[in-house]
Amino acid sequence: MPTIGVAVAIPEPWATELQDYRTSVGDLTAPQIPTHITLIPPIEVGDSQLGDVEEHLEGVAAQMDVFPIHLRGTGTFRPVSPVVFVTLAEGISKCEMLAAAVRRGPLAVELHFPYHPHVTIAHHLADAQLDQAFTELADFECAFQANAFSLYVHDTDAGWQATREFALQPIP
């Protein structure tokens, strides 16, 4: 059974910058995880369900407009979870709406934690490395238009691979 996820990809040059940073602080998973804002966490779906999932995502994309995202500063989920992330200064509510729409129909899942859009920059590392990431990227900032989201499938060797992009609707 494939494991899938749905996310908004961070565009270049920031995607590579943040992924390289994540690797530099010792996060060994970084090379296999494209820089993103999760809409739905990894879940297993049957091969026969992928068509229904894609049809559902097409419907979601057809009802959502392009929106601005502004990333600025860092945050953490510690002590609940050993994660440091770049925060969204703008685009939170639109990501919440998009994530809620994605998590319906064939992708209806219960979350273990409340949804909080973010960009992970350090995960499951020692406290010193998490502190370093929190401090060193505190001044990070970028802004872009979220004009699509993607379906990712996990490959054991290659990591997370975007298999299809779903364009959001242009603002008239």
Side-chain angles (χ1 to χ4, degrees):
M1 276 210 318
T3 300
I4 66 164
V6 179
V8 173
I10 305 303
E12 294 298 347
W14 308 291
T16 297
E17 179 183 345
L18 292 173
Q19 189 173 39
D20 288 350
Y21 181 82
R22 189 171 174 173
T23 300
S24 77
V25 292
D27 191 332
L28 301 177
T29 63
Q32 294 196 332
I33 304 172
T35 309
H36 68 281
I37 299 167
T38 299
L39 298 174
I40 189 166
I43 61 167
E44 288 185 347
V45 297
D47 286 321
S48 63
Q49 293 176 289
L50 284 176
D52 291 340
V53 166
E54 288 188 3
E55 186 176 316
H56 167 66
L57 296 175
E58 286 172 0
V60 170
Q63 296 179 24
M64 298 291 296
D65 293 336
V66 168
F67 61 95
I69 291 180
H70 182 175
L71 302 177
R72 181 177 60 215
T74 53
T76 184
F77 292 131
R78 291 187 291 172
V80 175
S81 181
V83 174
V84 172
F85 54 86
V86 173
T87 62
L88 274 74
E90 182 180 9
I92 294 170
S93 63
K94 292 289 190 177
C95 283
E96 289 172 338
M97 291 169 47
L98 182 56
V102 166
R103 288 191 319 269
R104 292 188 184 122
L107 295 177
V109 295
E110 281 192 42
L111 300 178
H112 298 288
F113 300 101
Y115 179 72
H116 181 79
H118 65 281
V119 179
T120 300
I121 54 169
H123 188 228
H124 288 299
L125 299 174
D127 282 340
Q129 292 162 295
L130 294 171
D131 292 343
Q132 175 186 350
F134 186 85
T135 301
E136 288 180 347
L137 286 187
D139 292 332
F140 179 85
E141 187 168 3
C142 72
F144 57 92
Q145 291 291 331
N147 54 20
F149 61 90
S150 296
L151 173 64
Y152 292 83
V153 175
H154 187 261
D155 177 274
T156 307
D157 297 323
W160 289 97
Q161 303 295 309
T163 59
R164 181 144 176 224
E165 185 175 87
F166 299 88
L168 299 175
Q169 301 307 300
I171 297 172

